Amino acid sequence: MPKPMPLTAQIVTVCFAPGDDADWFAASEKVNDLLHANGTPARRYHVRHRRLIGWLTRFLGYYLLDAARRFGAVTVAAGGRKSRLDLTGTAARAANDATLRWRAWNTHINATTKPAQPWEDYLAQHHADPAKVTLNEARRRFEQQPRVLAMLAHSFDPYELSVYQAGEATYVGLYWRIALIGDALITTDGRLLIPASDSVADRFRFLNEACGYLRSLHSTARLCAVAIA
């Protein structure tokens, strides 16, 4: 059965304008300045190999950050020039993995249990009256639902229930965006883009804005994915 994936991975995507210094130290400084956190390179991007000269460039790590090799060929990297990163392939791989997870959930959980209230509903009850519904009580009420218990039994993350129940396209759409962006994005002019809240809706709004920004960058702009420590 496909393994469940966490909703967030604590990844920050740092963008650099063409011509800017775009090494790992510059990326880590931006993250530290805006988020007051330290991090390490995250090899998330597949590397692009063009059809005609790919037989040569697959062995060269130019314009890439923290690249990894397999059998001598460069396969993934933590970042680099946008034109050298296979963003389409990165998103497609994440979409395929998410599709397998959702379909396994659909077979083992959706087809055998009734819909359940997502964690966000119980969390709202806690926030509305913390004295009456403590956080532990809210969690207990949420986790005693048959569908949630079934998800726990099959190693699916029940706190992703709202995304699973929204359908395959929504679940897959969330994860291919996460593969490209992560949890936050720092623009070339130093702006920090983050979700307005922990809700899935706000996360989609942020990811849509960040993906649009990524598409707008010139092919010679550079990206770096940083994993927050």
Side-chain angles (χ1 to χ4, degrees), residues 61-207:
Y62 68 93
Y63 296 138
L64 294 173
L65 294 174
D66 196 45
R69 297 175 182 271
R70 185 177 183 184
F71 304 117
V74 178
T75 54
V76 294
R81 180 177 283 188
K82 182 181 173 182
S83 61
R84 283 227 65 190
L85 303 178
D86 185 4
L87 299 181
T88 300
T90 300
R93 176 67 178 270
N96 182 67
D97 291 344
T99 298
L100 295 177
R101 287 196 304 276
W102 188 91
R103 291 181 180 177
W105 174 87
N106 189 48
T107 298
H108 297 284
I109 309 298
N110 195 41
T112 59
T113 60
K114 294 181 180 180
Q117 286 184 275
W119 166 241
E120 291 84 354
D121 291 355
Y122 292 91
L123 190 59
Q125 294 176 21
H126 164 67
H127 289 154
D129 193 347
K132 182 179 180 180
V133 182
T134 65
L135 186 60
N136 285 338
E137 174 62 16
R139 194 180 306 278
R140 185 193 68 78
R141 294 181 183 182
F142 169 66
E143 292 183 346
Q144 73 177 359
Q145 299 178 98
R147 171 161 289 188
V148 174
L149 291 173
M151 291 182 70
L152 287 168
H154 286 83
S155 299
F156 290 98
D157 185 355
Y159 295 92
E160 291 186 349
L161 178 61
S162 60
V163 192
Y164 276 113
Q165 291 187 155
E168 179 179 346
T170 301
Y171 185 84
V172 172
L174 177 67
Y175 272 98
W176 71 252
R177 289 168 172 85
I178 289 175
L180 294 178
I181 305 299
D183 300 283
L185 181 140
I186 299 175
T187 65
T188 57
D189 56 358
R191 291 181 295 116
L192 176 64
L193 304 182
I194 57 175
S197 74
D198 292 334
S199 74
V200 177
D202 279 335
R203 190 165 181 78
F204 264 116
R205 292 186 185 96
F206 152 70
L207 289 169

